[in-house]
């Protein structure tokens, strides 16, 4: 009979040694994940030994405590369903030890039986530890209804004066969190209960946000702010509060809470990201770029740090993948860099904000270096994210270098696109606007159009770089190469813009972009011919350009100049009058950044032409 007490003492000592090892590791500067795995393995072996003999009340406290520890250690090494299966086994053995049998697989009914049988016994603290494990598992699986049922069973003696919901049940939950000093635990029950409480309230707030009930979400987050929590979790609560205010149309309140989040937790990346979005909404590009720059620096610092997991139960584990993505969503470093670079260019040249173009160029160059170090092929199929295709990034970088007057660097970057697309471009792409393309066929056609567009745009940017370098001959050559690439895409119907091309808006958008690029290449070559005195060739190209992109004022002016120089004065004056009598601006089309035409590219000294035309018209 003395064997059983001896086993209890031996197994208790074994449990305490495992926990002592973990606690020493937990207090270290760099907690070791291998130590955690060893503690889990040793705790699991101990639990298996205890379960190797029939359950009995004299070992019940030990068995439930070892079960509790094992489940905590197993979070990073087992899925929730495996832990829950083992938890069901522990509960069944607890009932068996007390002489009660429940033959049901439903965990809700099993818990009802356990709480009725052991709810008033000396084993309540151990039962409540396992109840915390069940709460944790259901929270991880977003089973809030089951959590509510479990907590209501635990609170069955309390009269429900307030409406029954998860927040009130969590707030009023009374659990016994006493600890037996002779049996050590990996995490104090009170600490786990506090963490589960705040995470449950946060999850409720997130669910309200997903249903676009932002006022209700704010109530949950405001309650969460008053609960004890680690700094990182409080930072996320402030961030979610800010997001709710942003959705309610209160951006300044949102910024206030994002600032509080960063003050509480300097590593709260989602607060920096959300701040950048609000600054963009408010039309404050300098603040947006500053927030993005801080975000990128913080992401880089975080990636350099050790990935060891210090806490036994982290909020990230409790929230689960989907919830955690919603709570702390932050773009990848590459996406942040691209947004920074793109924003610098857009704000400076489209909205004429005083921002240094060199900053945008450096961001693009850092991004290209990052993509190359990752070993990514230049021609990659889109991954469905918001990050642009890699050839587009290269074209934007080439465009930025062109704007920064780094013409030779722009030539090199664009050459990468040309050489990488060379083997993939079709000889000719004949499209039928009446044909309805579906699925994979449509994707293949779009991909081929993209390849042609990228190569044509790369030659176009190279031509502009040569033009800026005063190398007209090379500029004409590259404008011609751009045109030769872009004309590979041919549409049977002339009225294709009025048709539902391939039944997709994407195809219409691609073809409009191809036409615009063609028009730019023809206009650019026409301007080179004009400067070189090849007036007939200039006349041809400028007329063709206007067919591609009607209403372009600069091209109209160049055409007027060509007609004047060809001594076709009547046509020139008629054209001049027509251009100046047209008040309606041409219909704007959305073009990629690398095809944007800005004033410094197309500025034409109209003073001399204006003087000539006005003198001619008055003399008539």
């Amino acid at each position: 009979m003395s064997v059983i007490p001896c086993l209890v003492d031996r197994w208790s000592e074994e449990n305490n040694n495992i926990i002592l090892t973990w606690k020493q590791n937990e207090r270290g500067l760099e907690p070791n994940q291998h130590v955690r795995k060893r503690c889990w393995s040793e705790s699991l072996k101990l639990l298996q030994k205890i379960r190797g003999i029939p359950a009995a009340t004299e070992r019940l406290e030990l068995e439930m405590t070892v079960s509790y520890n094992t489940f905590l250690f197993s979070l990073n090494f087992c899925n929730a369903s495996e832990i829950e299966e083992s938890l069901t086994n522990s509960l069944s053995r607890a009932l068996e030890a007390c002489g009660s049998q429940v033959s049901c697989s439903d965990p809700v009914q099993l818990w009802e039986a356990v709480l009725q049988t052991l709810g008033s016994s000396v084993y309540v603290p151990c039962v409540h530890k396992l109840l915390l494990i069940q709460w944790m598992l259901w929270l991880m699986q977003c089973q809030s209804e089951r959590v509510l049922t479990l907590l209501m069973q635990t609170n069955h003696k309390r009269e429900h004066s307030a409406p029954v919901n998860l927040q009130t049940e969590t707030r009023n939950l009374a659990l016994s969190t006493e600890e037996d000093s002779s049996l050590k635990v990996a995490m104090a029950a009170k600490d786990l209960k506090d963490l589960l409480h705040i995470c449950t309230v946060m999850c409720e707030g997130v669910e309200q946000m997903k249903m676009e009930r932002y006022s209700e979400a704010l109530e949950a987050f405001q309650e969460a702010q008053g609960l004890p929590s680690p700094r990182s979790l409080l930072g996320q609560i402030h961030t979610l509060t800010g997001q709710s205010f942003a959705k309610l149309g209160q951006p300044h309140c949102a910024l206030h809470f994002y600032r509080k989040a960063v003050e509480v937790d300097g590593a709260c990346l989602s607060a920096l990201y959300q701040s950048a979005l609000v600054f963009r909404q408010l039309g404050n590009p300098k603040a947006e770029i500053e927030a993005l720059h801080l975000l990128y620096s913080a992401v880089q610092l975080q990636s350099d740090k050790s990935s060891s997991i210090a806490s036994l139960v982290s909020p990230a584990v409790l929230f689960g993948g989907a919830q955690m993505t919603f709570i702390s969503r932050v773009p990848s470093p590459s996406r942040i860099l691209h947004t920074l670079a793109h924003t610098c260019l857009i704000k400076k040249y489209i909205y004429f904000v005083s921002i240094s173009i060199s900053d945008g160029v450096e961001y693009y160059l850092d991004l290209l270096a990052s993509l190359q170090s990752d070993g990514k092929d230049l021609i990659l199929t889109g991954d469905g994210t918001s990050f642009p295709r890699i050839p587009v990034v290269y074209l934007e970088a080439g465009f930025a270098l062109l704007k920064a007057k780094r013409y030779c660097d722009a030539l090199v970057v664009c050459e990468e696109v040309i050489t990488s697309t060379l083997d993939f471009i079709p000889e000719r792409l004949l499209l039928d606007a009446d044909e309805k393309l579906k699925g994979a066929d449509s994707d293949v056609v779009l991909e081929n159009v993209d390849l042609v567009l990228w190569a044509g745009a790369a030659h176009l940017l190279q031509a502009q770089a040569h033009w800026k370098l005063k190398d007209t001959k090379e500029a004409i050559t590259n404008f011609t190469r751009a045109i030769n690439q872009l004309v590979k895409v041919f549409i049977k119907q002339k009225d294709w813009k009025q048709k539902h091309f391939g039944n997709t808006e994407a195809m219409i958008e691609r073809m409009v972009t191809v036409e615009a690029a063609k028009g730019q290449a023809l206009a650019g070559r026409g301007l080179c011919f004009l400067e070189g005195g090849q007036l007939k060739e200039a006349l041809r190209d400028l007329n063709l350009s206007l067919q591609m992109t009607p209403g372009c004022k600069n091209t109209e002016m160049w055409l007027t100049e060509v007609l004047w120089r060809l001594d076709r004065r009547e046509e020139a004056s008629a054209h001049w009058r027509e251009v100046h009598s047209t008040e309606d601006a041409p219909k704007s089309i959305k073009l990629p950044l690398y095809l944007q035409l800005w004033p410094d590219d197309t500025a034409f000294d109209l003073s001399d032409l204006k003087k000539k035309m006005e003198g001619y018209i008055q003399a008539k």
Side-chain angles (χ1 to χ4, degrees), residues 443-576:
D443 292 340
V444 169
V445 172
L446 285 172
E447 180 76 5
N448 284 332
V449 173
D450 281 339
L451 289 166
V452 171
L453 176 61
W454 296 334
H459 282 300
L460 177 59
L461 292 175
Q462 284 191 328
Q464 292 176 12
H466 283 299
W467 183 28
K468 294 289 186 179
L469 290 167
K470 308 299 182 185
D471 189 347
T472 306
K473 184 178 178 182
E474 275 300 314
I476 290 173
T477 300
N478 279 278
F479 278 128
T480 303
R481 286 173 179 164
I483 295 164
N484 290 342
Q485 285 290 356
L486 295 165
V487 296
K488 288 183 177 180
V489 181
F490 180 76
I491 308 167
K492 287 182 180 180
Q493 295 82 2
K494 290 184 179 180
D495 60 342
W496 60 269
K497 291 181 183 179
Q498 283 72 50
K499 295 177 179 290
H500 293 288
F501 203 118
N503 208 25
T504 66
E505 290 296 321
M507 186 62 78
I508 290 283
E509 184 182 313
R510 295 299 203 289
M511 290 313 306
V512 167
T513 305
V514 168
E515 293 284 282
K518 228 183 287 184
Q520 287 186 27
L522 285 162
R525 192 173 70 174
L527 185 57
C528 288
F529 284 139
L530 173 59
E531 288 183 343
Q534 295 172 267
L535 301 180
K536 290 183 179 178
E537 290 82 355
L539 182 65
R540 175 200 64 205
D541 282 357
L542 293 173
N543 273 318
L544 288 171
S545 175
L546 287 171
Q547 290 178 29
M548 300 291 111
T549 53
C552 179
K553 293 285 185 183
N554 285 310
T555 308
E556 299 272 14
M557 291 298 98
W558 298 336
L559 183 58
T560 304
E561 177 70 21
V562 172
L563 291 169
W564 180 268
R565 291 191 191 183
L566 285 170
D567 209 21
R568 292 160 63 170
R569 306 295 168 87
E570 281 298 319
E571 287 181 66
S573 64
H575 197 72
W576 175 270

Side-chain angles (χ1 to χ4, degrees), residues 259-496:
R259 187 163 49 251
K260 286 183 72 173
V262 176
E263 287 171 357
V264 167
D265 177 20
C268 189
L269 305 181
S270 54
L272 288 170
Y273 175 57
Q274 294 298 329
S275 297
L277 296 181
V278 172
F279 285 130
R280 180 181 302 171
Q281 177 192 343
L282 292 173
N284 189 341
K286 288 187 176 180
E288 178 191 350
I289 289 171
E290 184 181 353
L292 288 170
H293 182 77
L294 288 171
L295 175 61
Y296 181 68
S297 301
V299 168
Q300 292 295 97
L301 283 172
Q302 198 171 75
S303 64
D304 292 339
K305 289 181 180 178
S306 170
S307 60
S308 297
I309 301 172
S311 58
L312 192 60
V313 182
S314 68
V317 171
L318 295 181
F319 290 132
Q323 293 281 52
M324 200 62 204
T325 300
F326 184 91
I327 291 170
S328 58
R329 53 192 168 198
V330 174
S332 67
S334 295
R335 182 66 180 139
I336 298 168
L337 262 182
H338 179 260
T339 304
L340 266 169
H342 194 272
T343 302
C344 283
L345 262 69
I346 286 289
K347 299 302 180 185
K348 181 171 180 64
Y349 289 101
I350 303 300
Y351 300 106
F352 307 107
V353 176
S354 178
I355 291 172
S356 172
I357 184 64
S358 60
D359 289 342
V361 169
E362 291 307 316
Y363 289 134
Y364 269 118
L365 293 179
D366 288 345
L367 178 55
L368 296 189
S370 171
L371 293 173
Q372 288 173 347
S373 67
D374 290 343
K376 291 190 176 180
D377 190 353
L378 194 61
I379 305 300
L380 280 176
T381 304
D383 59 2
T385 68
S386 57
F387 192 77
R389 296 289 297 275
I390 296 179
V392 172
V393 176
Y394 271 75
L395 289 170
E396 290 178 356
F399 188 69
L401 289 163
L402 198 59
K403 299 306 121 189
K405 300 182 180 180
R406 294 173 59 173
Y407 305 124
C408 293
D409 291 334
L411 290 170
V412 172
V413 169
C414 291
E415 191 62 32
E416 285 287 324
V417 178
I418 292 166
T419 54
S420 299
T421 55
L422 189 62
D423 295 333
F424 301 95
I425 297 174
E427 281 299 315
R428 187 167 176 77
L429 196 57
L430 182 63
L431 303 179
D432 188 343
D434 291 327
E435 185 181 354
K436 304 297 181 186
L437 298 173
K438 293 182 181 179
D441 291 336
S442 178
D443 292 340
V444 169
V445 172
L446 285 172
E447 180 76 5
N448 284 332
V449 173
D450 281 339
L451 289 166
V452 171
L453 176 61
W454 296 334
H459 282 300
L460 177 59
L461 292 175
Q462 284 191 328
Q464 292 176 12
H466 283 299
W467 183 28
K468 294 289 186 179
L469 290 167
K470 308 299 182 185
D471 189 347
T472 306
K473 184 178 178 182
E474 275 300 314
I476 290 173
T477 300
N478 279 278
F479 278 128
T480 303
R481 286 173 179 164
I483 295 164
N484 290 342
Q485 285 290 356
L486 295 165
V487 296
K488 288 183 177 180
V489 181
F490 180 76
I491 308 167
K492 287 182 180 180
Q493 295 82 2
K494 290 184 179 180
D495 60 342
W496 60 269

Side-chain angles (χ1 to χ4, degrees), residues 44-79:
L44 181 61
K45 288 176 184 176
L46 175 58
L47 181 60
Q48 289 169 343
K49 282 190 286 186
I50 296 171
R51 286 178 175 175
I53 58 178
T57 53
E58 58 264 30
R59 294 186 304 280
L60 191 53
E61 185 180 2
L62 170 65
E63 181 171 348
M64 286 196 285
T65 301
V66 172
S67 296
Y68 174 76
N69 289 332
T70 305
F71 298 148
L72 290 176
F73 285 129
S74 65
L75 282 174
N76 277 60
F77 311 109
C78 303
N79 59 46

